[in-house]
Amino acid sequence: IKRAVSFLHDQNKKLYITINNLFIEKETEEIKDYLLLLEDIGVDALIVQDLSIVNLKKELNLTIPLHASVQMGIGNSEAVNFLEEQGFSRVILSKNLSLEEITAISKNTNLSIEFFAHGDLCISHTGQCYMSSFIAGASSNRGRCIKPCRWQYAIRPGGEKAYYLAHNDLSLYPFITDLMDAGVCSLKIEGRMRSADYLSSIVAIYRQA
């Protein structure tokens, strides 16, 4: 991470670190050490789900900005205003929102608005899912989802397999101007379990647009 920060800052780019797991009590001390490390090496923001990070930031007197993860499932102005009161600088809204809802939220906050523009659409509400936990002991809320909803299944033994649980991937490429008009200033492109070649191509296309 330290090398990545140096490399990107030399190019006037920013590096955000996701700490968007849900944590348990005994992990708190280890998280403190990690937060102090990230502050020391100069990462540009933390993308978080667990509000305990807010309290830890205050306790440790950290200056690093906080972004609310899409995993928070933020979908209304009341939640966004609460995050603003807690010192967040950006909110990544729930990918389930309509354009009208995004517009209404952005008009009632000073927070920077980010929206999910490209990638998997989860069968559950913004990734709040236990399917991966049940199948493989790999919790999506711990950043370890193996995406079982993207697999093929048969309705009955020996039956034809199909993607019964998988939505089509989201691609808001044709609607970038609409998102900008709605108040979105940053686009989230899913990178987890994707190759570098795939991602570099997708990011380049959105950047050109």
Side-chain angles (χ1 to χ4, degrees), residues 5 16 20 52 56-57 60 107 111 119 123 129 134 148 202:
V5 169
Y16 304 148
N20 60 347
S52 66
L56 292 176
K57 178 187 174 181
L60 299 171
K107 288 181 178 179
L111 291 189
I123 193 171
C129 177
F134 296 153
I202 293 296

Side-chain angles (χ1 to χ4, degrees), residues 4 35 43 114 157 179 200:
L35 292 174
V43 301
E114 184 171 330
L179 291 170
S200 61

Side-chain angles (χ1 to χ4, degrees), residues 22-80:
L22 294 176
F23 299 106
I24 57 179
E25 189 69 26
K26 66 181 181 181
E27 295 171 327
T28 303
E29 291 304 317
E30 186 176 356
I31 296 168
K32 288 181 182 179
D33 291 339
Y34 188 44
L35 292 174
L36 289 168
L37 171 69
L38 296 177
E39 172 94 358
D40 183 58
I41 63 180
V43 301
D44 297 287
L46 304 178
I47 303 173
V48 305
Q49 177 184 189
D50 197 321
L51 288 175
S52 66
I53 301 297
V54 176
N55 294 330
L56 292 176
K57 178 187 174 181
K58 294 175 182 177
E59 178 184 334
L60 299 171
N61 295 314
L62 304 181
T63 61
I64 190 167
L66 295 181
H67 294 178
S69 170
V70 68
Q71 294 293 114
M72 277 194 182
I74 300 300
N76 56 59
S77 291
E78 286 75 12
V80 172

Side-chain angles (χ1 to χ4, degrees), residues 79-106:
V80 172
N81 293 338
F82 171 78
L83 293 173
E84 189 169 354
E85 292 170 1
Q86 297 302 309
F88 282 77
S89 60
R90 175 177 293 185
V91 56
I92 307 171
L93 295 177
S94 168
K95 68 182 77 170
N96 304 285
L97 295 182
S98 68
L99 196 64
E100 290 76 16
E101 289 171 319
I102 298 169
T103 302
I105 290 172
S106 68

